[in-house]
Amino acid sequence: MTSSSTFPTPSASLGLSPLVPYGWDDAWADEFTPYDSEGLVAGRVIRVDRGQCDVATTDGVIRADTAFVTPHDPLRVVCTGDWVAVEPAGNPRYVRAYLPRRTAFVRSTSSKRSEGQILAANVDHAVVAVSLAVELDLGRVERFLALAWESGAQPVIVLTKADLVPEAATLAHLVQDVETSAPGVTVLAVSSSTGAGLDVLEAVLAGGTAVLLGQSGAGKSTLANALVGEDVMDVKATRDMDGKGRHTTTTRNLLVLPGGGVLIDTPGLRGVGLWDAGSGVGQVFSEIEEFAADCRFQDCAHVAEPGCAVLAAVDSGDLPERRLESYRKLLRENQRIVAKTDARVRAEIRRDWKRKGAEGRAAMEAKRGRW
């Protein structure tokens, strides 16, 4: 994913289009050409609510119905951040199509049907808000990062409520702990109440689209207000005992930032299930996959195999055991969700189980033969 300095930019041919602040550029204009010839209107979805959406267009924000683009696949419904083609008139007006997505942030639902849920589209940065008012949960941070990398967006971790950690050395230590769990990711300590760190975050987000993610009580809505410069999102107090708050944000809202770029605020996520995020998990634990390249066996599971470079790294202290356990956990979870939705993968997993079972029985028989 490119940095904010290399995002597609609008050319002079776009003039002063009201859509430019929402991220409209020449590439989107080219994608929209077939719909333009049909007389449809371009716009960006800034909010979706019960089958309807608010769309920013050249004529201002309009309300449109999504009935024509509501397929059975929940990953193909219109979502916040989509660029869409809307009817020029009508009551109601309908969204006729959405443009191909550059990126999509998807998680699994909490239902037993193992469906994916798309949270935001066409996102350049996935901002993971983590509150410093409670003890850091590095495993949850890694889970968010796996989804962020898988989406195609560049993750950014924002440690909110930094003013609650007045000792500079302690704050630096917390930032370092998170950086260790987030290779290749920018980690910023920010205070929405004092403004500390906001200028750096604004510079990172300028020129692109960011989605704001995190648990309820992480300070997302307060951070969104601070970035926008006004109280656009409701804020309620969090509980002292666990830092959790009530869901003040109930829909995903796209907000234009005064310093450039747009921000999609999301409700607090109680569940953060992986959804076919194998490459994202690999990105989060890139150092483990680098160690794994030196394992004796190509299909090493890093459990008890001889010649395992990953286990050797744990023994030498080069790899924290917590990281390996988190890696294993996320891989297992991702494998389960993929297996439920892909018959081919299910068959491969079953064959792998049989092969490993046969190897285990052979090893046990060999041991018995030596006794």
Side-chain angles (χ1 to χ4, degrees), residues 273-296:
L274 299 186
W275 178 261
D276 197 5
S279 62
V281 173
Q283 188 83 32
V284 176
F285 299 93
S286 56
E287 81 278 27
I288 295 180
E289 303 219 331
E290 288 174 6
F291 287 128
D294 294 327
C295 289
R296 181 184 302 178

Side-chain angles (χ1 to χ4, degrees), residues 8 23-24 32 38 57 74 102 105 152 172 179 192 229 241 243 256 264 280 292 310 312 327 330 336 341:
W24 187 250
F32 191 75
E38 296 177 18
T57 71
R102 294 176 181 173
F105 192 93
E179 287 176 338
S192 299
M241 67 186 80
V256 177
I264 299 175
V310 173
Y327 175 67
L330 293 182
R336 284 197 300 271
T341 56

Side-chain angles (χ1 to χ4, degrees), residues 211-281:
V211 60
L212 188 53
L213 306 159
Q215 287 185 287
S216 180
K220 298 186 306 300
S221 294
T222 303
L223 181 60
N225 287 340
L227 290 170
V228 175
E230 56 182 297
D231 292 340
V232 292
M233 305 302 298
D234 291 334
V235 177
K236 293 180 182 177
T238 57
R239 300 195 300 251
D240 292 336
M241 67 186 80
D242 56 10
K244 294 181 180 179
R246 288 168 289 178
H247 292 289
T248 55
T249 303
T250 57
T251 58
R252 286 166 279 281
N253 303 274
L254 188 146
L255 311 167
V256 177
L257 301 177
V262 294
L263 178 70
I264 299 175
D265 191 18
T266 65
L269 301 176
R270 290 191 179 92
V272 193
L274 299 186
W275 178 261
D276 197 5
S279 62
V281 173

Side-chain angles (χ1 to χ4, degrees), residues 130-159:
V130 180
S131 173
L132 290 177
V134 294
E135 185 177 355
L136 285 175
D137 184 344
L138 297 177
R140 181 169 289 273
V141 171
E142 289 159 349
R143 178 180 292 273
F144 270 110
L145 288 178
L147 292 173
W149 281 121
E150 191 69 33
S151 75
Q154 171 68 46
V156 178
I157 297 176
V158 175
L159 303 180

Side-chain angles (χ1 to χ4, degrees), residues 17-52:
S17 169
L19 293 180
V20 169
Y22 290 92
W24 187 250
D25 56 40
D26 284 329
W28 288 122
D30 290 341
E31 290 279 3
F32 191 75
T33 299
Y35 302 105
D36 188 38
S37 63
E38 296 177 18
L40 298 175
V41 175
R44 191 165 199 189
V45 177
I46 61 177
R47 184 173 179 268
V48 178
D49 181 23
R50 289 172 293 190
Q52 293 192 317

Side-chain angles (χ1 to χ4, degrees), residues 154-233:
Q154 171 68 46
V156 178
I157 297 176
V158 175
L159 303 180
T160 63
K161 308 180 185 181
D163 54 290
L164 299 181
V165 187
E167 298 83 6
T170 302
L171 183 59
H173 180 71
L174 291 170
V175 170
Q176 186 177 29
D177 280 349
V178 177
E179 287 176 338
T180 301
S181 300
V185 176
T186 298
V187 180
L188 302 173
V190 170
S191 171
S192 299
S193 59
T194 68
L198 283 176
D199 56 341
V200 179
L201 180 58
E202 289 169 350
V204 170
L205 304 185
T209 297
V211 60
L212 188 53
L213 306 159
Q215 287 185 287
S216 180
K220 298 186 306 300
S221 294
T222 303
L223 181 60
N225 287 340
L227 290 170
V228 175
E230 56 182 297
D231 292 340
V232 292
M233 305 302 298

